[in-house]
Each structure stands twice: as structure tokens, then as C-alpha cells.
């Protein structure tokens, strides 16, 4: 029996693709292993979004190729964004790789495996097609949460981003198929569904002629035994009043908005080919806070975009100071070949990018710490995800304000009687920059 290992790099959307491949491997009665040293076949699902991700992907491929010398590995397959984008170069430069597979070929992984076993070495990259996902996945996340991918590709064409060239145009997944998988995941024990796409707010537009995310949230909210629904990658352009109302009214939808804004300067937003203005964003944020007072807002910003002046950066800092986001990720601009921004004049030196990165992160750290300290004394529902190895009574979890692998943690003292996957009420005792410490509360306290 073949033993197959899958390594997934990059974002949660890529992880879903890896889980689909694992499902097909399981259907074909091959064995799945987490140890590359004992795998006959190693599949690396790569990321190719920015330079650092590409470097990680290449390094991982080279590391796994060593198992063809020292381990049992006979075949090495490369899938994902890097394979889609640089198939010919990888095929030439990495002779140890037996197949390069694009992002539209995950459903053919069984046939691909059979071809390499028969001695073929090949590239398989196909054009974009309708996004559907009917195969049962093998979940690699903890059993209490799972990602639910609702669309593929992107049409936004931000000038710094290569995703539309890699993943193709935006394609919404069939509505009923999403609901069916959601129900199936909950039946397997999943209690938190995290909706992902390159742009979740755009769901349904091109397929059904209208934005259906609000409707989807309301239908998911009806699923029995589901605790939390979390939505990531909400672009402001399609964030409608109807969506705000759905988030506010659906009790299972986390009052947590992940809304990548990238900048606050209108001229830079225009250069980025974003469709927002600072005024529109401020109006949206004010409306969200008005309708959902307990909302947690997370965003991302890019510093060092071509032509960014000190004045524009200061404008961004002032915006961050004013809006006080609960969480904000900051990225230095990465000059990606094939994008419009890569050809722009006035590229910013790396030293200045780094300086602005640390400056903005320091400001956000102060804001985050203030917000976390303001949580002291409040009670949050928390899911237990792990326990401290040196202190079994100290649990590590998340509230509705924290997404997995992105945000901070909630450390729960005196939690030895609970188990991983339990949802418990926790009173926050102390807030730090990115984490909080709390303790379980007895029923009478709430």
C-alpha cells in the first residue's frame, strides 16, 4: 500500500485544496502519513503569493527532495499557486520533481499519482473551470473547526496582486453545495465554520446575479449544533447594508470582521486599483460599530507601496490611530512580477519599507494593548484548543474575537476539568498586547 504525505503551505484556501486531495487519496484506499520520512509519495501544495511565500515553497520542495535520497520517497509532486505560476521553470530547474500540477487539477490527483507511478514526468496546468467541490475532505484542522471555501479566483485585480493571474476569475461555488458541506461538517463534530474565498463579500454576484453572502449566513445560522460562523476576507467594496444586518442579527455569526483595507490615502488606493476611498471606508466602519457595538475589527495594510510618500504614510498612521482596530496585520510591499505595480516608478527602498513597518506595528501594538486591557472584567465564550504542557490546568483557547492562526490567544487558568473543543464562559482577568488571561466562570455569574 502506498503511503502518501501532503504538505500544505500558504493560506486557509490552499489548506482546503489540500484537504480535498487527501479526501481523494483516502477514497482510493492509499495510506496517509504525516511523516515525510516514511512516505512513498510527497505532495507539496505551494503558495506563490509574495516573495517570502515563494521562497518558503522552494525551500520546502528542496527539503522534501532529500527524502528521495535518505527516505522511502519515490515520487515528488508540486501543486498549488507556485506550480500554476511557474510550472515550466520549476519543471526545468527541479529535475527531482516528478509532476507539476496547477490549481485547477486537485480533483485529478488520483490519476496524476497513477501516471507518475507508471514512470511519467509531466506538467498538468489547465484553464479555470466552474468551482465545485463535491468530494469529502479529510480535515487537518482540530475537529471543532473547519474552513468552508465558498468561491475560487478573483476579479478585483489590485495592482500589487498576482492572484487573478494564478487562480483565474472569480467563481462562486454552488449555493446548495456549500450548505450541504456545512451540514456534513457539523455532523462530523465541527462547531465553528470559517468562510473563506479571495473575496467572500462578492459571493454569488457573477453566478446568481446578486450578492448572496447575507442569505448564506442566515441559512448557515439555522444549522443545529453549529456554534460559530466566522467570515474572513471581506472586501469593503461589496460590504452591503444587508450584510451588516445579517451579521448583527444572526446569533451564531461571530461579531468579528476581517476587512483588508491596505491603505488610507485615496491617491495610493487608486494606484493600488482599489475601489474604496477613505471616506467610504470610514462610513462603513462607523455603520458597523453603530449596528454591532461589540464588534471586533481586523484589517491589513501595505506599507512601502510604489510612490508612497512620508505624508501618505503619516495619513495611514493617523487613520489607524483614529479607527483603533482590534487587530491589524502590516505587510511591506512585495514587487511581484507580472503585476502593474511592479512596473511603477518610485519603488521604495527596503530600508524605508522596514522602518515604516515597525513604526506602524508599534502604533498598532499600543492600540491592541489598550483594547485588550479594556476587556478585563468582561465575560467571553471561549473554545479550548490546547493545554500548557508544563501546567495542565492552563488551557489555551480563542473567543469569537480571535481567528485561528491569525490572532492572539485566550489563556484560561484553572481549566483542568475541561477538554479540547469545549466551549466555556471565561472572565477576562488581564489583557496584554495580543493575548488575554482569564478564568472559567460558574453559571451563576452569567
Amino acid at each position: 500500500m502506498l503511503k502518501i504525505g501532503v504538505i500544505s503551505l500558504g493560506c486557509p484556501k490552499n489548506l482546503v485544496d489540500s484537504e480535498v486531495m487527501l479526501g481523494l487519496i483516502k477514497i482510493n484506499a492509499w495510506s496517509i502519513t504525516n511523516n515525510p520520512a516514511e512516505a512513498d509519495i510527497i505532495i507539496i501544495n505551494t503558495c506563490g503569493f509574495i516573495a517570502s511565500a515563494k521562497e518558503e515553497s522552494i525551500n520546502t520542495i528542496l527539503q522534501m527532495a532529500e527524502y528521495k535520497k535518505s527516505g522511502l520517497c519515490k515520487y515528488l509532486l508540486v501543486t498549488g499557486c507556485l506550480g500554476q505560476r511557474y510550472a515550466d521553470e520549476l519543471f526545468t530547474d527541479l529535475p527531482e520533481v516528478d509532476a507539476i500540477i496547477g490549481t485547477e487539477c486537485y480533483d485529478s490527483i488520483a490519476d496524476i499519482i497513477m501516471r507518475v507511478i507508471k514512470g511519467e514526468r509531466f506538467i498538468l496546468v489547465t484553464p479555470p473551470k466552474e468551482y465545485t467541490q463535491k468530494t469529502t475532505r479529510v480535515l487537518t484542522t482540530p475537529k471543532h473547526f473547519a474552513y468552508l471555501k465558498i468561491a475560487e479566483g478573483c476579479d478585483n485585480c489590485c495592482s500589487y496582486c498576482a492572484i487573478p493571474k494564478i487562480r483565474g476569475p472569480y467563481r462562486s461555488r454552488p449555493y446548495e453545495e456549500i450548505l450541504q458541506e456545512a451540514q456534513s461538517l457539523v455532523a462530523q463534530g465541527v462547531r465553528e465554520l470559517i468562510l473563506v474565498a479571495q473575496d467572500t463579500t462578492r459571493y454569488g454576484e457573477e453566478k446568481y446575479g446578486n450578492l448572496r453572502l447575507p442569505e448564506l449566513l442566515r441559512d448557515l445560522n439555522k444549522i443545529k449544533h453549529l456554534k460559530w460562523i466566522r467570515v474572513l476576507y471581506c472586501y469593503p467594496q461589496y460590504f452591503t447594508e444587508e450584510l451588516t444586518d445579517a451579521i448583527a442579527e444572526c446569533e451564531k455569526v461571530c461579531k468579528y470582521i476581517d476587512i483588508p483595507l491596505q491603505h488610507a490615502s485615496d491617491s495610493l488606493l487608486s494606484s493600488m486599483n482599489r475601489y474604496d476611498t477613505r471616506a467610504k471606508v470610514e462610513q462603513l466602519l462607523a455603520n458597523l460599530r453603530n449596528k454591532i457595538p461589540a464588534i471586533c475589527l481586523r484589517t491589513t495594510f501595505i506599507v512601502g507601496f510604489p510612490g508612497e510618500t512620508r505624508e501618505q504614510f503619516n495619513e495611514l498612521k493617523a487613520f489607524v490611530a483614529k479607527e483603533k482596530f482590534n487587530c491589524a496585520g502590516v505587510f511591506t510591499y512585495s514587487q511581484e512580477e507580472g503585476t502593474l505595480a511592479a512596473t511603477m516608478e518610485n519603488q521604495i527602498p527596503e530600508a524605508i519599507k522596514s522602518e515604516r513597518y515597525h513604526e506602524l506595528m508599534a502604533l498598532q501594538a499600543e492600540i491592541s494593548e489598550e483594547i485588550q486591557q479594556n476587556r478585563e472584567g468582561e465575560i467571553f465564550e471561549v473554545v479550548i484548543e490546547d493545554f500548557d504542557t508544563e501546567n495542565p490546568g492552563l488551557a489555551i483557547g480563542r473567543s469569537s474575537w480571535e481567528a485561528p492562526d491569525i490572532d492572539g490567544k485566550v489563556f484560561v487558568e484553572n481549566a483542568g476539568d475541561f477538554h479540547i473543543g469545549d466551549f466555556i464562559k471565561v472572565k477576562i482577568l488581564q489583557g496584554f498586547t495580543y493575548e488575554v488571561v482569564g478564568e472559567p466562570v460558574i453559571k451563576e455569574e452569567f
Side-chain angles (χ1 to χ4, degrees):
M1 179 182 290
L2 283 174
K3 287 188 176 181
I4 302 175
V6 177
I7 297 172
S8 191
L9 304 175
C11 66
K13 300 181 289 294
N14 222 33
L15 182 64
V16 172
D17 297 335
S18 296
E19 292 175 343
V20 169
M21 286 192 289
L22 286 167
L24 291 167
I25 289 167
K26 185 177 181 180
I27 288 172
N28 282 273
W30 291 316
S31 177
I32 297 169
T33 178
N34 292 324
N35 184 358
E38 64 180 29
D40 300 296
I41 299 176
I42 299 175
I43 303 171
I44 306 164
N45 196 8
T46 60
C47 179
F49 181 46
I50 56 177
S52 58
K54 288 185 283 188
E55 183 178 352
E56 180 189 22
S57 293
I58 292 294
N59 288 339
T60 303
I61 293 169
L62 295 175
Q63 289 168 9
M64 293 303 106
E66 290 297 310
Y67 288 105
K68 295 184 86 171
K69 303 174 187 176
S70 61
L72 301 175
C73 182
K74 302 177 184 66
Y75 310 103
L76 187 63
L77 282 60
V78 172
T79 70
C81 290
L82 196 74
Q84 178 79 23
R85 192 176 184 189
Y86 299 106
D88 293 333
E89 295 93 322
L90 293 172
F91 196 73
T92 301
D93 295 341
L94 299 172
E96 51 270 79
V97 175
D98 297 283
I100 309 289
I101 307 154
T103 56
E104 298 292 323
C105 305
Y106 298 117
D107 55 352
S108 302
I109 193 64
D111 292 336
I112 291 163
I113 289 171
M114 294 305 300
R115 286 178 63 181
V116 297
I117 290 173
K118 291 176 182 178
E120 287 189 61
R121 183 172 185 262
F122 60 92
I123 294 173
L124 182 62
V125 175
T126 60
K129 58 189 177 186
E130 179 187 8
Y131 179 54
T132 181
Q133 180 209 299
K134 298 177 181 177
T135 304
T136 300
R137 294 148 53 194
V138 172
L139 297 182
T140 59
T141 52
K143 64 179 182 180
H144 56 272
F145 79 84
Y147 294 101
L148 185 60
K149 191 172 174 182
I150 65 173
E152 178 61 282
C154 187
D155 288 334
N156 290 334
C157 296
C158 301
S159 64
Y160 51 81
C161 182
I163 292 297
K165 293 179 180 292
I166 299 172
R167 290 278 181 170
Y170 194 89
R171 288 152 287 152
S172 298
R173 186 177 174 192
Y175 191 89
E176 292 302 323
E177 186 180 293
I178 296 172
L179 288 180
Q180 288 170 6
E181 186 182 24
Q183 291 162 348
S184 173
L185 289 169
V186 173
Q188 295 173 48
V190 170
R191 294 294 172 262
E192 178 184 6
L193 289 174
I194 306 174
L195 275 57
V196 294
Q198 199 62 35
D199 179 353
T200 50
T201 43
R202 194 172 182 176
Y203 174 74
E205 183 196 42
E206 90 304 338
K207 188 175 186 68
Y208 300 108
N210 61 302
L211 301 171
R212 296 191 71 180
L213 182 59
E215 178 187 359
L216 180 61
L217 292 179
R218 293 185 186 279
D219 280 341
L220 292 173
N221 195 64
K222 300 173 186 175
I223 298 178
K224 191 176 180 180
H225 302 306
L226 179 60
K227 289 282 292 182
W228 288 348
I229 303 162
R230 189 182 302 276
V231 188
L232 302 183
Y233 314 117
C234 300
Y235 276 60
Q237 181 187 359
Y238 298 99
F239 212 115
T240 62
E241 194 76 23
E242 185 183 5
L243 178 57
T244 301
D245 291 341
I247 294 171
E249 295 164 11
C250 294
E251 70 278 5
K252 296 180 182 180
V253 176
C254 294
K255 309 316 179 211
Y256 169 103
I257 308 295
D258 170 46
I259 183 166
L261 298 176
Q262 312 307 6
H263 216 280
S265 161
D266 286 349
S267 56
L268 270 189
L269 287 170
S270 178
S271 295
M272 290 178 173
N273 200 31
R274 304 280 293 185
Y275 300 98
D276 321 305
T277 64
R278 177 171 177 172
K280 288 181 180 179
V281 168
E282 288 177 334
Q283 183 178 5
L284 171 61
L285 298 176
N287 188 46
L288 286 168
R289 287 177 166 134
N290 178 55
K291 288 199 169 184
I292 315 171
I295 196 167
C296 174
L297 291 170
R298 130 169 290 283
T299 190
T300 53
F301 296 111
I302 297 173
V303 297
F305 186 81
E308 183 189 53
T309 64
R310 181 69 208 190
E311 290 72 23
Q312 290 169 327
F313 175 68
N314 287 341
E315 184 178 357
L316 174 58
K317 283 184 63 181
F319 174 74
V320 171
K322 171 180 176 288
E323 293 297 341
K324 295 187 182 299
F325 296 94
N326 299 69
C327 313
V330 181
F331 297 89
T332 57
Y333 166 73
S334 177
Q335 189 174 6
E336 295 301 311
E337 60 182 320
T339 64
L340 179 62
T343 65
M344 291 180 178
E345 298 179 353
N346 300 319
Q347 297 286 329
I348 306 298
E350 292 299 324
I352 294 179
K353 292 181 191 177
S354 178
E355 175 187 324
R356 292 176 182 176
Y357 166 83
H358 290 291
E359 196 173 328
L360 190 57
M361 282 298 293
L363 171 60
Q364 180 58 41
E366 293 176 6
I367 295 168
S368 296
E369 184 171 16
E370 178 185 348
I371 291 172
Q372 298 289 50
Q373 290 175 346
N374 287 338
R375 297 174 74 182
E376 294 174 3
E378 295 187 10
I379 294 174
F380 284 81
E381 190 168 31
V382 170
V383 59
I384 303 300
E385 298 202 299
D386 204 353
F387 288 88
D388 189 292
T389 54
E390 297 181 359
N391 181 3
L394 179 63
I396 305 167
R398 295 182 291 110
S399 73
S400 61
W401 277 21
E402 290 91 25
D405 301 321
I406 300 175
D407 303 310
K409 300 292 185 183
V410 178
F411 292 91
V412 187
E413 299 174 338
N414 305 315
D417 293 336
F418 300 103
H419 304 90
I420 292 175
D422 285 349
F423 285 78
I424 65 173
K425 298 288 185 178
V426 172
K427 184 176 183 178
I428 306 302
L429 302 176
Q430 192 170 6
F432 299 91
T433 305
Y434 300 113
E435 288 83 22
V436 293
V437 176
E439 63 180 3
V441 296
I442 58 175
K443 192 170 185 180
E444 288 76 11
E445 290 188 65
F446 62 89

